Amino acid sequence: MADAVNDRVLGAVAREAVMIASRLRFWAVFAGIVTLLGVSGPFGTYDTLPLAVRLLYWAVTCIATFWIGFVTSVSVAGLAESFGARPMPATLLGGLTASLPVAFAVGLVNAVTFGAPVLAGLLDILPAAAVISTLVATMYEMLDLDAREPVSASVGPNPTAWLDRLPARIGRDLILLQAQDHYVLAQTTQGRCLLRTSLSDATSELGGCGLRVHRSWWVAQDWIAGLEYRSGSQVVVLRDGRQVPVGRAYRRAVRAALRRG
């Protein structure tokens, strides 16, 4: 069971990392931060390194510490949540845990650049790494930087019009929608059908009738019984006991929407 939990959490972290790395905006901001640090030369690098080396030093340091810190903090937070921890304590635990490999990575970069002993400077680096890692992890959790789409749109122009597209044989008591290539599988209490549309368009038209909980899933608000962890993954539990996966990019907004509901 522990292996299954670990695999699910690490899989979610890997998908999130790929999503972040694919964003040009992320790399543009990253380049700006590296340029600022390289030009200003904090922590004594201005006096000890020429500009080109300084830029390379901060690029390597920022890339190494961000990805090491991201993978560690999000993995630890996800595991903590899967065992019942609340999101914010889990995030703080993840940030503090990440400070150890982050500090070690900075020590390695300093050893290569300045010839400084790795372990000797570790205790000096660790307090700052702990503060920065915890702050970054907390900001990431609060700002929901990974969210790509709103969980639920504002009330659409005419939800009834979308429901009218459903065949009469399956009724209009909609339970969930699932994206399937260029179609959406609509399931009601009386059956299911495929409609040629996108899940994003359906979500916009249905508006506040339900929640977008995953890039491939939408669920009707009235059918949600709760939000739980099962086998290390967060799921929406429906009234009939079925489980719908919650994408990490949607989980905070889902929690907020359910609290409001």
Side-chain angles (χ1 to χ4, degrees):
M1 175 64 98
D3 290 340
V5 171
N6 291 340
D7 290 345
R8 288 176 181 271
V9 172
L10 292 177
V13 173
R15 289 190 295 272
E16 188 171 351
V18 169
M19 183 181 68
I20 293 173
S22 66
R23 290 180 172 177
L24 291 178
R25 184 175 63 179
F26 166 79
W27 290 109
V29 173
F30 202 92
I33 293 173
V34 169
T35 301
L36 177 63
L37 292 171
V39 172
S40 61
F43 302 107
T45 56
Y46 187 89
D47 296 324
T48 55
L49 299 174
L51 178 59
V53 178
R54 237 176 19 245
L55 288 169
L56 178 60
Y57 168 85
W58 283 111
V60 172
T61 300
C62 289
I63 289 174
T65 55
F66 174 81
W67 288 113
I68 290 172
F70 172 82
V71 171
T72 305
S73 63
V74 175
S75 298
V76 170
L79 286 171
E81 285 191 42
S82 71
F83 287 102
R86 296 184 64 82
M88 190 51 67
T91 298
L92 294 175
L93 176 62
L96 288 173
T97 304
S99 65
L100 291 170
V102 165
F104 187 74
V106 173
L108 284 177
V109 175
N110 287 342
V112 172
T113 306
F114 304 108
V118 177
L119 295 180
L122 191 61
L123 292 179
D124 294 331
I125 300 170
L126 191 57
V131 172
I132 293 172
S133 296
T134 304
L135 286 175
V136 171
T138 303
M139 290 173 60
Y140 186 85
E141 175 72 16
M142 294 178 66
L143 294 176
D144 197 15
L145 298 178
D146 58 334
R148 293 170 290 175
E149 299 182 58
V151 174
S152 60
S154 58
V155 175
N158 191 356
T160 303
W162 196 93
L163 293 172
D164 286 341
R165 300 172 62 183
L166 298 174
R169 62 181 174 80
I170 68 169
R172 292 158 56 95
D173 188 2
L174 189 61
I175 300 174
L176 57 83
L177 301 174
Q178 181 184 8
Q180 294 190 356
D181 295 326
H182 300 296
Y183 293 85
V184 167
L185 176 66
Q187 177 145 353
T188 71
T189 55
Q190 299 179 48
R192 59 177 64 185
C193 72
L194 280 175
L195 298 174
R196 189 170 178 82
T197 185
S198 70
L199 189 59
S200 295
D201 288 345
T203 300
S204 296
E205 291 187 56
L206 289 167
C209 298
L211 302 177
R212 181 78 175 267
V213 300
H214 188 279
R215 65 179 182 176
S216 299
W217 294 90
W218 175 98
V219 294
Q221 182 86 42
D222 292 343
W223 271 84
I224 298 176
L227 187 64
E228 299 180 8
Y229 268 99
R230 301 284 174 89
S231 301
S233 296
Q234 198 169 51
V235 297
V236 165
V237 181
L238 303 184
R239 291 191 339 233
D240 59 6
R242 280 182 292 178
Q243 301 168 21
V244 178
V246 176
R248 183 176 170 82
Y250 299 86
R251 64 191 183 94
R252 288 183 285 277
V254 168
R255 287 199 300 262
L258 292 181
R259 283 197 298 268
R260 290 195 300 269

